[in-house]
Amino acid sequence: MSPPLFSTLLPHSVWDLGSWAAWLCLLVVLVKSSKLYVRRRWLLKALSPFDGPKCHWLYGNAQEFLKDGNDLEIMVRYAEQYPYAYTLWLGNFFGSLTICHPDYAKAVLSRQDPKDDFAYHFITPWIGKGLLVLSGQKWFQHRRLITPGFHYDVLKPYVTLMSDCVNVMLNKWENLIPDKNPVELFHHVSLMTLDTIMKCAFSYRSNCQMDSESAYIKAVYQLSHLVDYRFFCLPYHNDLIFHLSPHGFRFRRALKIAHVHTDKVIKERKQSLQEDTELEKIQKKRHLDFLDILLCAKDENGQGLSDEDLRAEVDTFMFEGHDTTASGISWVLYCLAKYPEHQEKCREEIREVLGDRSTVQWEDLGKMPYTTMCIKETMRLYPPVPEVARQLKEPITFFDGRSLPKGAIVLLCIYAINRCSSIWDEPEVFDPLRFSPENSSTRHSHAFLPFSAGGRNCIGQNFAMNEMKVAVALTLQKFELHPDPEKELKPRSLLVLRSSNGIHLNLKRID
Ligand code: HEM
């Protein structure tokens, strides 16, 4: 590189420095580009056994997904075109195989591949290395330690807490509707599920439904929102750009508030548990929460979780346990509003079980088969977690002989699998009877995957089903639900399934 003219005016050492910096930059660019080139060649070869929709030379398939409420429908359309699986490209260097058939899903979910780094990278600063993102031996150890936290003995007393939280929400709606009807549900439901998980996870009474101004609640809310935002803002995929941006600044500020709060709660509980370190003794005094289980958990060597691990697990519960159930509940209420005949059947069943009671009890949960079928049918059509991703740690060969090498990224499109037309008759039709015991017993084990399947399925699924039943039962007891004809829903995957224009329903108080 010849020195530019003005360099003759600079002292020699300054030019030398500039020149070295330029060479260094060039070298970095060259190394990066050749790595990308090698990656692209590798991806093309890895994905070669599979077809996929045509893609743009620069953007890949990214341009087809316009975030206008049709993206998931496009995935279903591709699933019809390419049964089993198809390739998708985000730009030139990120290619993955999208799985859309239960047979293929079963092959992947019966293995123990780690989560894909790309998908979980944005949440990790918040939830740390908790159950959701861990892999290998450490995941296995945590899962074993935490599983007792979901035993029905522990879940039982939560049902009353759930009822209390739902009733706060319903009272809010009652006061709201004379002035403002239709109501946008998702926001209210999400505060309610946050309230619930805080009570159940660490007996924290936040009052967040009435006072959403608390610093911690705002921080948790902001973190969920910023993770979503970052995911869909391509420049923010770069850590440095995000770090330096105003969103990155807000993210760090919220992160600090959330972590300081979690640390404080853990510290206080540790102090209060000093005398009682056996769960049975604590349970005699009060009901257990997840934090008790985490703090008392010991492996076969008597080793408990480190402070860092504890915080990661508590934050993982906060993240996994609130927006997912909020999505589930909001979509069920929407479907029941859309299909009034099913709404009425559920209401009759609930009236028979609850009578005039406004608190659901543990024993009631098993007496709502029709409501449960409606919840499942909604989660088939609108799964709260529409896709999950894995990075293969070993090569895989599918039943039809096609294979993928180690390192390939696989996206399991739960939304498309749950609507797979070779399994479900008229998949777009809302028919709760698909989940009658007779119909369920003969179905493919991986045709319905709202909670995923295999060793890494959702550990919180019983908790979630209980919360959904409580919310639906108490809501239908108090309100008639009607859709808002002005607002057509636009399902969109934003970490969890939402509608990009909200979920609006007309509520009519039942006297
Ligand atoms: C309707 C509500 C829920 C749905 C649809 C749901 C769905 C899922 C799905 C699909 C996965 C697999 C994720 C993956 O493979 O990347 C998962 C994992 C997980 N879920 Fe849930 N979830 C719900 C509620 C909850 C609740 C309430 C909790 C906790 C209280 C929870 C805790 C977890 C955890 C810790 C994992 C990671 C499990 C592991 O990898 O061992 N989930 N969930």
Side-chain angles (χ1 to χ4, degrees), residues 169-170 173 185 189 192 326-339 343 375 378 468 471-476 481-483 503 505 507:
M169 178 179 79
L170 300 180
W173 287 352
L185 297 190
V189 177
M192 183 275 287
S327 167
I329 293 165
S330 306
W331 285 100
V332 181
L333 298 181
Y334 162 74
C335 284
L336 292 177
K338 196 168 166 197
Y339 305 104
Q343 182 182 154
I375 293 175
T378 304
M468 286 191 279
V472 173
L474 295 177
T475 307
L476 293 191
L481 312 174
H482 302 275
I503 298 186
L505 292 188
L507 307 178

PDB file of all heavy atoms in Angstrom, residues 169-170 173 185 189 192 326-339 343 375 378 468 471-476 481-483 503 505 507:
ATOM      1  N   MET A 169     -57.639  -9.755  37.623  1.00  0.00           N
ATOM      2  CA  MET A 169     -57.764  -9.351  36.209  1.00  0.00           C
ATOM      3  C   MET A 169     -59.243  -9.173  35.823  1.00  0.00           C
ATOM      4  O   MET A 169     -59.605  -8.176  35.177  1.00  0.00           O
ATOM      5  CB  MET A 169     -57.108 -10.406  35.316  1.00  0.00           C
ATOM      6  CG  MET A 169     -57.215 -10.142  33.838  1.00  0.00           C
ATOM      7  SD  MET A 169     -56.397 -11.424  32.873  1.00  0.00           S
ATOM      8  CE  MET A 169     -57.623 -12.724  32.921  1.00  0.00           C
ATOM      9  N   LEU A 170     -60.073 -10.098  36.256  1.00  0.00           N
ATOM     10  CA  LEU A 170     -61.489 -10.013  35.871  1.00  0.00           C
ATOM     11  C   LEU A 170     -62.158  -8.790  36.495  1.00  0.00           C
ATOM     12  O   LEU A 170     -62.995  -8.141  35.852  1.00  0.00           O
ATOM     13  CB  LEU A 170     -62.226 -11.303  36.266  1.00  0.00           C
ATOM     14  CG  LEU A 170     -61.698 -12.588  35.615  1.00  0.00           C
ATOM     15  CD1 LEU A 170     -62.490 -13.796  36.080  1.00  0.00           C
ATOM     16  CD2 LEU A 170     -61.726 -12.503  34.082  1.00  0.00           C
ATOM     17  N   TRP A 173     -61.337  -5.873  34.437  1.00  0.00           N
ATOM     18  CA  TRP A 173     -62.140  -5.824  33.196  1.00  0.00           C
ATOM     19  C   TRP A 173     -63.547  -5.307  33.481  1.00  0.00           C
ATOM     20  O   TRP A 173     -64.111  -4.552  32.700  1.00  0.00           O
ATOM     21  CB  TRP A 173     -62.211  -7.218  32.556  1.00  0.00           C
ATOM     22  CG  TRP A 173     -60.923  -7.630  31.904  1.00  0.00           C
ATOM     23  CD1 TRP A 173     -59.822  -6.832  31.726  1.00  0.00           C
ATOM     24  CD2 TRP A 173     -60.589  -8.907  31.364  1.00  0.00           C
ATOM     25  NE1 TRP A 173     -58.827  -7.548  31.112  1.00  0.00           N
ATOM     26  CE2 TRP A 173     -59.270  -8.823  30.873  1.00  0.00           C
ATOM     27  CE3 TRP A 173     -61.262 -10.114  31.242  1.00  0.00           C
ATOM     28  CZ2 TRP A 173     -58.615  -9.895  30.270  1.00  0.00           C
ATOM     29  CZ3 TRP A 173     -60.617 -11.192  30.639  1.00  0.00           C
ATOM     30  CH2 TRP A 173     -59.319 -11.077  30.154  1.00  0.00           C
ATOM     31  N   LEU A 185     -56.741  -7.925  25.127  1.00  0.00           N
ATOM     32  CA  LEU A 185     -56.527  -8.858  26.226  1.00  0.00           C
ATOM     33  C   LEU A 185     -55.076  -9.132  26.576  1.00  0.00           C
ATOM     34  O   LEU A 185     -54.726  -9.291  27.740  1.00  0.00           O
ATOM     35  CB  LEU A 185     -57.120 -10.229  25.858  1.00  0.00           C
ATOM     36  CG  LEU A 185     -58.591 -10.402  25.617  1.00  0.00           C
ATOM     37  CD1 LEU A 185     -58.897 -11.874  25.529  1.00  0.00           C
ATOM     38  CD2 LEU A 185     -59.385  -9.784  26.757  1.00  0.00           C
ATOM     39  N   VAL A 189     -53.611 -10.087  30.273  1.00  0.00           N
ATOM     40  CA  VAL A 189     -53.352 -11.493  30.604  1.00  0.00           C
ATOM     41  C   VAL A 189     -51.870 -11.669  30.952  1.00  0.00           C
ATOM     42  O   VAL A 189     -51.503 -12.405  31.877  1.00  0.00           O
ATOM     43  CB  VAL A 189     -53.759 -12.415  29.431  1.00  0.00           C
ATOM     44  CG1 VAL A 189     -53.422 -13.863  29.747  1.00  0.00           C
ATOM     45  CG2 VAL A 189     -55.249 -12.294  29.151  1.00  0.00           C
ATOM     46  N   MET A 192     -51.213 -10.639  34.363  1.00  0.00           N
ATOM     47  CA  MET A 192     -51.788 -11.625  35.287  1.00  0.00           C
ATOM     48  C   MET A 192     -50.852 -12.848  35.409  1.00  0.00           C
ATOM     49  O   MET A 192     -50.597 -13.337  36.515  1.00  0.00           O
ATOM     50  CB  MET A 192     -53.174 -12.047  34.775  1.00  0.00           C
ATOM     51  CG  MET A 192     -53.924 -13.000  35.657  1.00  0.00           C
ATOM     52  SD  MET A 192     -53.495 -14.699  35.368  1.00  0.00           S
ATOM     53  CE  MET A 192     -54.293 -15.023  33.811  1.00  0.00           C
ATOM     54  N   ALA A 326     -49.415 -16.586  28.902  1.00  0.00           N
ATOM     55  CA  ALA A 326     -50.240 -15.441  28.481  1.00  0.00           C
ATOM     56  C   ALA A 326     -50.711 -15.656  27.047  1.00  0.00           C
ATOM     57  O   ALA A 326     -51.882 -15.410  26.706  1.00  0.00           O
ATOM     58  CB  ALA A 326     -49.439 -14.149  28.584  1.00  0.00           C
ATOM     59  N   SER A 327     -49.807 -16.137  26.207  1.00  0.00           N
ATOM     60  CA  SER A 327     -50.176 -16.407  24.817  1.00  0.00           C
ATOM     61  C   SER A 327     -51.243 -17.502  24.774  1.00  0.00           C
ATOM     62  O   SER A 327     -52.292 -17.343  24.115  1.00  0.00           O
ATOM     63  CB  SER A 327     -48.916 -16.820  24.042  1.00  0.00           C
ATOM     64  OG  SER A 327     -49.252 -17.368  22.808  1.00  0.00           O
ATOM     65  N   GLY A 328     -51.002 -18.600  25.505  1.00  0.00           N
ATOM     66  CA  GLY A 328     -51.966 -19.710  25.512  1.00  0.00           C
ATOM     67  C   GLY A 328     -53.355 -19.227  25.910  1.00  0.00           C
ATOM     68  O   GLY A 328     -54.340 -19.462  25.195  1.00  0.00           O
ATOM     69  N   ILE A 329     -53.444 -18.506  27.026  1.00  0.00           N
ATOM     70  CA  ILE A 329     -54.752 -18.083  27.546  1.00  0.00           C
ATOM     71  C   ILE A 329     -55.432 -17.109  26.571  1.00  0.00           C
ATOM     72  O   ILE A 329     -56.622 -17.244  26.257  1.00  0.00           O
ATOM     73  CB  ILE A 329     -54.587 -17.427  28.941  1.00  0.00           C
ATOM     74  CG1 ILE A 329     -54.143 -18.477  29.944  1.00  0.00           C
ATOM     75  CG2 ILE A 329     -55.888 -16.752  29.400  1.00  0.00           C
ATOM     76  CD1 ILE A 329     -53.614 -17.916  31.255  1.00  0.00           C
ATOM     77  N   SER A 330     -54.685 -16.147  26.054  1.00  0.00           N
ATOM     78  CA  SER A 330     -55.296 -15.141  25.159  1.00  0.00           C
ATOM     79  C   SER A 330     -55.868 -15.797  23.902  1.00  0.00           C
ATOM     80  O   SER A 330     -56.965 -15.451  23.453  1.00  0.00           O
ATOM     81  CB  SER A 330     -54.268 -14.091  24.737  1.00  0.00           C
ATOM     82  OG  SER A 330     -53.675 -13.528  25.860  1.00  0.00           O
ATOM     83  N   TRP A 331     -55.111 -16.768  23.342  1.00  0.00           N
ATOM     84  CA  TRP A 331     -55.613 -17.412  22.124  1.00  0.00           C
ATOM     85  C   TRP A 331     -56.819 -18.302  22.411  1.00  0.00           C
ATOM     86  O   TRP A 331     -57.731 -18.405  21.595  1.00  0.00           O
ATOM     87  CB  TRP A 331     -54.498 -18.196  21.412  1.00  0.00           C
ATOM     88  CG  TRP A 331     -53.536 -17.280  20.701  1.00  0.00           C
ATOM     89  CD1 TRP A 331     -52.324 -16.878  21.151  1.00  0.00           C
ATOM     90  CD2 TRP A 331     -53.724 -16.613  19.439  1.00  0.00           C
ATOM     91  NE1 TRP A 331     -51.745 -16.012  20.262  1.00  0.00           N
ATOM     92  CE2 TRP A 331     -52.572 -15.839  19.200  1.00  0.00           C
ATOM     93  CE3 TRP A 331     -54.749 -16.599  18.492  1.00  0.00           C
ATOM     94  CZ2 TRP A 331     -52.414 -15.048  18.045  1.00  0.00           C
ATOM     95  CZ3 TRP A 331     -54.600 -15.828  17.349  1.00  0.00           C
ATOM     96  CH2 TRP A 331     -53.444 -15.068  17.134  1.00  0.00           C
ATOM     97  N   VAL A 332     -56.858 -18.939  23.588  1.00  0.00           N
ATOM     98  CA  VAL A 332     -58.044 -19.762  23.907  1.00  0.00           C
ATOM     99  C   VAL A 332     -59.270 -18.851  23.998  1.00  0.00           C
ATOM    100  O   VAL A 332     -60.324 -19.157  23.431  1.00  0.00           O
ATOM    101  CB  VAL A 332     -57.902 -20.519  25.250  1.00  0.00           C
ATOM    102  CG1 VAL A 332     -59.150 -21.356  25.498  1.00  0.00           C
ATOM    103  CG2 VAL A 332     -56.708 -21.420  25.259  1.00  0.00           C
ATOM    104  N   LEU A 333     -59.122 -17.719  24.694  1.00  0.00           N
ATOM    105  CA  LEU A 333     -60.279 -16.832  24.841  1.00  0.00           C
ATOM    106  C   LEU A 333     -60.723 -16.326  23.467  1.00  0.00           C
ATOM    107  O   LEU A 333     -61.922 -16.222  23.187  1.00  0.00           O
ATOM    108  CB  LEU A 333     -59.948 -15.673  25.795  1.00  0.00           C
ATOM    109  CG  LEU A 333     -59.604 -16.085  27.239  1.00  0.00           C
ATOM    110  CD1 LEU A 333     -59.316 -14.865  28.101  1.00  0.00           C
ATOM    111  CD2 LEU A 333     -60.719 -16.929  27.870  1.00  0.00           C
ATOM    112  N   TYR A 334     -59.744 -16.065  22.605  1.00  0.00           N
ATOM    113  CA  TYR A 334     -60.084 -15.614  21.248  1.00  0.00           C
ATOM    114  C   TYR A 334     -60.868 -16.711  20.500  1.00  0.00           C
ATOM    115  O   TYR A 334     -61.915 -16.437  19.891  1.00  0.00           O
ATOM    116  CB  TYR A 334     -58.801 -15.238  20.491  1.00  0.00           C
ATOM    117  CG  TYR A 334     -58.988 -15.176  19.008  1.00  0.00           C
ATOM    118  CD1 TYR A 334     -59.674 -14.103  18.416  1.00  0.00           C
ATOM    119  CD2 TYR A 334     -58.523 -16.197  18.173  1.00  0.00           C
ATOM    120  CE1 TYR A 334     -59.872 -14.055  17.044  1.00  0.00           C
ATOM    121  CE2 TYR A 334     -58.720 -16.146  16.803  1.00  0.00           C
ATOM    122  CZ  TYR A 334     -59.401 -15.081  16.248  1.00  0.00           C
ATOM    123  OH  TYR A 334     -59.603 -15.044  14.892  1.00  0.00           O
ATOM    124  N   CYS A 335     -60.375 -17.955  20.563  1.00  0.00           N
ATOM    125  CA  CYS A 335     -61.053 -19.047  19.832  1.00  0.00           C
ATOM    126  C   CYS A 335     -62.467 -19.263  20.383  1.00  0.00           C
ATOM    127  O   CYS A 335     -63.409 -19.502  19.620  1.00  0.00           O
ATOM    128  CB  CYS A 335     -60.257 -20.348  19.922  1.00  0.00           C
ATOM    129  SG  CYS A 335     -58.825 -20.332  18.851  1.00  0.00           S
ATOM    130  N   LEU A 336     -62.622 -19.171  21.708  1.00  0.00           N
ATOM    131  CA  LEU A 336     -63.956 -19.392  22.279  1.00  0.00           C
ATOM    132  C   LEU A 336     -64.904 -18.256  21.876  1.00  0.00           C
ATOM    133  O   LEU A 336     -66.102 -18.468  21.711  1.00  0.00           O
ATOM    134  CB  LEU A 336     -63.869 -19.536  23.793  1.00  0.00           C
ATOM    135  CG  LEU A 336     -63.146 -20.814  24.247  1.00  0.00           C
ATOM    136  CD1 LEU A 336     -63.028 -20.872  25.764  1.00  0.00           C
ATOM    137  CD2 LEU A 336     -63.868 -22.072  23.744  1.00  0.00           C
ATOM    138  N   ALA A 337     -64.354 -17.054  21.712  1.00  0.00           N
ATOM    139  CA  ALA A 337     -65.192 -15.938  21.255  1.00  0.00           C
ATOM    140  C   ALA A 337     -65.604 -16.179  19.802  1.00  0.00           C
ATOM    141  O   ALA A 337     -66.747 -15.924  19.402  1.00  0.00           O
ATOM    142  CB  ALA A 337     -64.414 -14.629  21.374  1.00  0.00           C
ATOM    143  N   LYS A 338     -64.676 -16.726  19.037  1.00  0.00           N
ATOM    144  CA  LYS A 338     -64.940 -16.932  17.609  1.00  0.00           C
ATOM    145  C   LYS A 338     -65.923 -18.086  17.379  1.00  0.00           C
ATOM    146  O   LYS A 338     -66.675 -18.088  16.407  1.00  0.00           O
ATOM    147  CB  LYS A 338     -63.599 -17.239  16.931  1.00  0.00           C
ATOM    148  CG  LYS A 338     -63.615 -17.105  15.442  1.00  0.00           C
ATOM    149  CD  LYS A 338     -62.209 -17.122  14.877  1.00  0.00           C
ATOM    150  CE  LYS A 338     -62.250 -17.340  13.389  1.00  0.00           C
ATOM    151  NZ  LYS A 338     -60.948 -17.753  12.874  1.00  0.00           N
ATOM    152  N   TYR A 339     -65.905 -19.075  18.281  1.00  0.00           N
ATOM    153  CA  TYR A 339     -66.780 -20.245  18.114  1.00  0.00           C
ATOM    154  C   TYR A 339     -67.731 -20.331  19.318  1.00  0.00           C
ATOM    155  O   TYR A 339     -67.490 -21.093  20.274  1.00  0.00           O
ATOM    156  CB  TYR A 339     -65.943 -21.518  17.985  1.00  0.00           C
ATOM    157  CG  TYR A 339     -64.935 -21.419  16.859  1.00  0.00           C
ATOM    158  CD1 TYR A 339     -63.591 -21.202  17.121  1.00  0.00           C
ATOM    159  CD2 TYR A 339     -65.352 -21.482  15.529  1.00  0.00           C
ATOM    160  CE1 TYR A 339     -62.676 -21.067  16.083  1.00  0.00           C
ATOM    161  CE2 TYR A 339     -64.439 -21.347  14.492  1.00  0.00           C
ATOM    162  CZ  TYR A 339     -63.102 -21.139  14.782  1.00  0.00           C
ATOM    163  OH  TYR A 339     -62.206 -20.995  13.757  1.00  0.00           O
ATOM    164  N   GLN A 343     -67.915 -22.176  23.238  1.00  0.00           N
ATOM    165  CA  GLN A 343     -67.860 -21.332  24.443  1.00  0.00           C
ATOM    166  C   GLN A 343     -69.000 -21.739  25.390  1.00  0.00           C
ATOM    167  O   GLN A 343     -68.800 -21.904  26.599  1.00  0.00           O
ATOM    168  CB  GLN A 343     -67.999 -19.855  24.050  1.00  0.00           C
ATOM    169  CG  GLN A 343     -67.897 -18.934  25.235  1.00  0.00           C
ATOM    170  CD  GLN A 343     -68.079 -17.456  24.855  1.00  0.00           C
ATOM    171  OE1 GLN A 343     -68.494 -16.665  25.677  1.00  0.00           O
ATOM    172  NE2 GLN A 343     -67.779 -17.065  23.630  1.00  0.00           N
ATOM    173  N   ILE A 375     -58.855 -26.101  25.016  1.00  0.00           N
ATOM    174  CA  ILE A 375     -57.518 -25.513  25.231  1.00  0.00           C
ATOM    175  C   ILE A 375     -56.506 -26.201  24.298  1.00  0.00           C
ATOM    176  O   ILE A 375     -55.698 -25.556  23.631  1.00  0.00           O
ATOM    177  CB  ILE A 375     -57.093 -25.654  26.714  1.00  0.00           C
ATOM    178  CG1 ILE A 375     -58.004 -24.795  27.607  1.00  0.00           C
ATOM    179  CG2 ILE A 375     -55.632 -25.277  26.908  1.00  0.00           C
ATOM    180  CD1 ILE A 375     -57.771 -24.945  29.102  1.00  0.00           C
ATOM    181  N   THR A 378     -56.955 -25.201  20.708  1.00  0.00           N
ATOM    182  CA  THR A 378     -56.404 -23.867  20.460  1.00  0.00           C
ATOM    183  C   THR A 378     -54.888 -23.945  20.347  1.00  0.00           C
ATOM    184  O   THR A 378     -54.282 -23.325  19.456  1.00  0.00           O
ATOM    185  CB  THR A 378     -56.769 -22.894  21.606  1.00  0.00           C
ATOM    186  OG1 THR A 378     -58.177 -22.884  21.753  1.00  0.00           O
ATOM    187  CG2 THR A 378     -56.269 -21.504  21.307  1.00  0.00           C
ATOM    188  N   MET A 468     -54.063 -22.312  32.641  1.00  0.00           N
ATOM    189  CA  MET A 468     -54.982 -22.025  31.530  1.00  0.00           C
ATOM    190  C   MET A 468     -56.417 -22.430  31.894  1.00  0.00           C
ATOM    191  O   MET A 468     -57.364 -21.703  31.611  1.00  0.00           O
ATOM    192  CB  MET A 468     -54.511 -22.724  30.255  1.00  0.00           C
ATOM    193  CG  MET A 468     -53.292 -22.023  29.658  1.00  0.00           C
ATOM    194  SD  MET A 468     -52.883 -22.598  28.006  1.00  0.00           S
ATOM    195  CE  MET A 468     -52.027 -24.055  28.386  1.00  0.00           C
ATOM    196  N   ALA A 471     -57.866 -19.896  34.349  1.00  0.00           N
ATOM    197  CA  ALA A 471     -58.174 -18.608  33.702  1.00  0.00           C
ATOM    198  C   ALA A 471     -59.422 -18.719  32.829  1.00  0.00           C
ATOM    199  O   ALA A 471     -60.308 -17.855  32.875  1.00  0.00           O
ATOM    200  CB  ALA A 471     -56.979 -18.149  32.877  1.00  0.00           C
ATOM    201  N   VAL A 472     -59.515 -19.804  32.054  1.00  0.00           N
ATOM    202  CA  VAL A 472     -60.671 -19.948  31.158  1.00  0.00           C
ATOM    203  C   VAL A 472     -61.943 -20.138  31.993  1.00  0.00           C
ATOM    204  O   VAL A 472     -62.975 -19.495  31.731  1.00  0.00           O
ATOM    205  CB  VAL A 472     -60.466 -21.142  30.180  1.00  0.00           C
ATOM    206  CG1 VAL A 472     -61.717 -21.406  29.367  1.00  0.00           C
ATOM    207  CG2 VAL A 472     -59.288 -20.845  29.255  1.00  0.00           C
ATOM    208  N   ALA A 473     -61.869 -20.989  33.023  1.00  0.00           N
ATOM    209  CA  ALA A 473     -63.070 -21.278  33.822  1.00  0.00           C
ATOM    210  C   ALA A 473     -63.616 -19.997  34.455  1.00  0.00           C
ATOM    211  O   ALA A 473     -64.805 -19.681  34.318  1.00  0.00           O
ATOM    212  CB  ALA A 473     -62.741 -22.307  34.899  1.00  0.00           C
ATOM    213  N   LEU A 474     -62.743 -19.246  35.134  1.00  0.00           N
ATOM    214  CA  LEU A 474     -63.240 -18.061  35.843  1.00  0.00           C
ATOM    215  C   LEU A 474     -63.689 -16.971  34.873  1.00  0.00           C
ATOM    216  O   LEU A 474     -64.650 -16.248  35.148  1.00  0.00           O
ATOM    217  CB  LEU A 474     -62.170 -17.541  36.811  1.00  0.00           C
ATOM    218  CG  LEU A 474     -61.826 -18.509  37.955  1.00  0.00           C
ATOM    219  CD1 LEU A 474     -60.708 -17.957  38.829  1.00  0.00           C
ATOM    220  CD2 LEU A 474     -63.057 -18.807  38.818  1.00  0.00           C
ATOM    221  N   THR A 475     -63.034 -16.877  33.725  1.00  0.00           N
ATOM    222  CA  THR A 475     -63.440 -15.847  32.746  1.00  0.00           C
ATOM    223  C   THR A 475     -64.822 -16.168  32.179  1.00  0.00           C
ATOM    224  O   THR A 475     -65.698 -15.293  32.102  1.00  0.00           O
ATOM    225  CB  THR A 475     -62.415 -15.740  31.590  1.00  0.00           C
ATOM    226  OG1 THR A 475     -61.128 -15.550  32.155  1.00  0.00           O
ATOM    227  CG2 THR A 475     -62.723 -14.589  30.655  1.00  0.00           C
ATOM    228  N   LEU A 476     -65.034 -17.436  31.790  1.00  0.00           N
ATOM    229  CA  LEU A 476     -66.329 -17.789  31.184  1.00  0.00           C
ATOM    230  C   LEU A 476     -67.471 -17.725  32.193  1.00  0.00           C
ATOM    231  O   LEU A 476     -68.618 -17.477  31.827  1.00  0.00           O
ATOM    232  CB  LEU A 476     -66.273 -19.193  30.573  1.00  0.00           C
ATOM    233  CG  LEU A 476     -65.371 -19.373  29.358  1.00  0.00           C
ATOM    234  CD1 LEU A 476     -65.622 -20.723  28.707  1.00  0.00           C
ATOM    235  CD2 LEU A 476     -65.556 -18.267  28.331  1.00  0.00           C
ATOM    236  N   LEU A 481     -67.935 -13.827  25.735  1.00  0.00           N
ATOM    237  CA  LEU A 481     -66.868 -13.291  24.888  1.00  0.00           C
ATOM    238  C   LEU A 481     -67.346 -13.198  23.443  1.00  0.00           C
ATOM    239  O   LEU A 481     -67.930 -14.158  22.924  1.00  0.00           O
ATOM    240  CB  LEU A 481     -65.642 -14.203  24.932  1.00  0.00           C
ATOM    241  CG  LEU A 481     -65.151 -14.651  26.310  1.00  0.00           C
ATOM    242  CD1 LEU A 481     -64.026 -15.666  26.156  1.00  0.00           C
ATOM    243  CD2 LEU A 481     -64.655 -13.442  27.100  1.00  0.00           C
ATOM    244  N   HIS A 482     -67.079 -12.057  22.814  1.00  0.00           N
ATOM    245  CA  HIS A 482     -67.445 -11.887  21.404  1.00  0.00           C
ATOM    246  C   HIS A 482     -66.255 -11.298  20.658  1.00  0.00           C
ATOM    247  O   HIS A 482     -65.574 -10.425  21.199  1.00  0.00           O
ATOM    248  CB  HIS A 482     -68.638 -10.922  21.270  1.00  0.00           C
ATOM    249  CG  HIS A 482     -69.834 -11.390  22.027  1.00  0.00           C
ATOM    250  ND1 HIS A 482     -70.745 -12.285  21.509  1.00  0.00           N
ATOM    251  CD2 HIS A 482     -70.266 -11.117  23.287  1.00  0.00           C
ATOM    252  CE1 HIS A 482     -71.677 -12.527  22.421  1.00  0.00           C
ATOM    253  NE2 HIS A 482     -71.409 -11.836  23.496  1.00  0.00           N
ATOM    254  N   PRO A 483     -66.047 -11.761  19.424  1.00  0.00           N
ATOM    255  CA  PRO A 483     -64.903 -11.199  18.679  1.00  0.00           C
ATOM    256  C   PRO A 483     -65.159  -9.752  18.295  1.00  0.00           C
ATOM    257  O   PRO A 483     -66.315  -9.307  18.261  1.00  0.00           O
ATOM    258  CB  PRO A 483     -64.817 -12.085  17.436  1.00  0.00           C
ATOM    259  CG  PRO A 483     -66.104 -12.795  17.346  1.00  0.00           C
ATOM    260  CD  PRO A 483     -66.784 -12.767  18.676  1.00  0.00           C
ATOM    261  N   ILE A 503     -54.990  -8.677  20.703  1.00  0.00           N
ATOM    262  CA  ILE A 503     -56.144  -9.594  20.680  1.00  0.00           C
ATOM    263  C   ILE A 503     -57.303  -8.857  21.359  1.00  0.00           C
ATOM    264  O   ILE A 503     -57.310  -8.680  22.572  1.00  0.00           O
ATOM    265  CB  ILE A 503     -55.816 -10.924  21.404  1.00  0.00           C
ATOM    266  CG1 ILE A 503     -54.658 -11.625  20.676  1.00  0.00           C
ATOM    267  CG2 ILE A 503     -57.045 -11.823  21.494  1.00  0.00           C
ATOM    268  CD1 ILE A 503     -54.308 -13.015  21.164  1.00  0.00           C
ATOM    269  N   LEU A 505     -61.275  -8.315  22.272  1.00  0.00           N
ATOM    270  CA  LEU A 505     -62.569  -9.005  22.403  1.00  0.00           C
ATOM    271  C   LEU A 505     -63.587  -8.088  23.067  1.00  0.00           C
ATOM    272  O   LEU A 505     -63.231  -7.253  23.907  1.00  0.00           O
ATOM    273  CB  LEU A 505     -62.430 -10.257  23.282  1.00  0.00           C
ATOM    274  CG  LEU A 505     -61.611 -11.436  22.764  1.00  0.00           C
ATOM    275  CD1 LEU A 505     -61.782 -12.625  23.690  1.00  0.00           C
ATOM    276  CD2 LEU A 505     -62.022 -11.830  21.343  1.00  0.00           C
ATOM    277  N   LEU A 507     -66.436  -7.838  25.702  1.00  0.00           N
ATOM    278  CA  LEU A 507     -66.791  -8.597  26.904  1.00  0.00           C
ATOM    279  C   LEU A 507     -68.165  -8.170  27.391  1.00  0.00           C
ATOM    280  O   LEU A 507     -68.454  -6.971  27.456  1.00  0.00           O
ATOM    281  CB  LEU A 507     -65.773  -8.331  28.021  1.00  0.00           C
ATOM    282  CG  LEU A 507     -64.294  -8.547  27.694  1.00  0.00           C
ATOM    283  CD1 LEU A 507     -63.428  -8.180  28.891  1.00  0.00           C
ATOM    284  CD2 LEU A 507     -64.042 -10.002  27.305  1.00  0.00           C
TER     285      LEU A 507
END
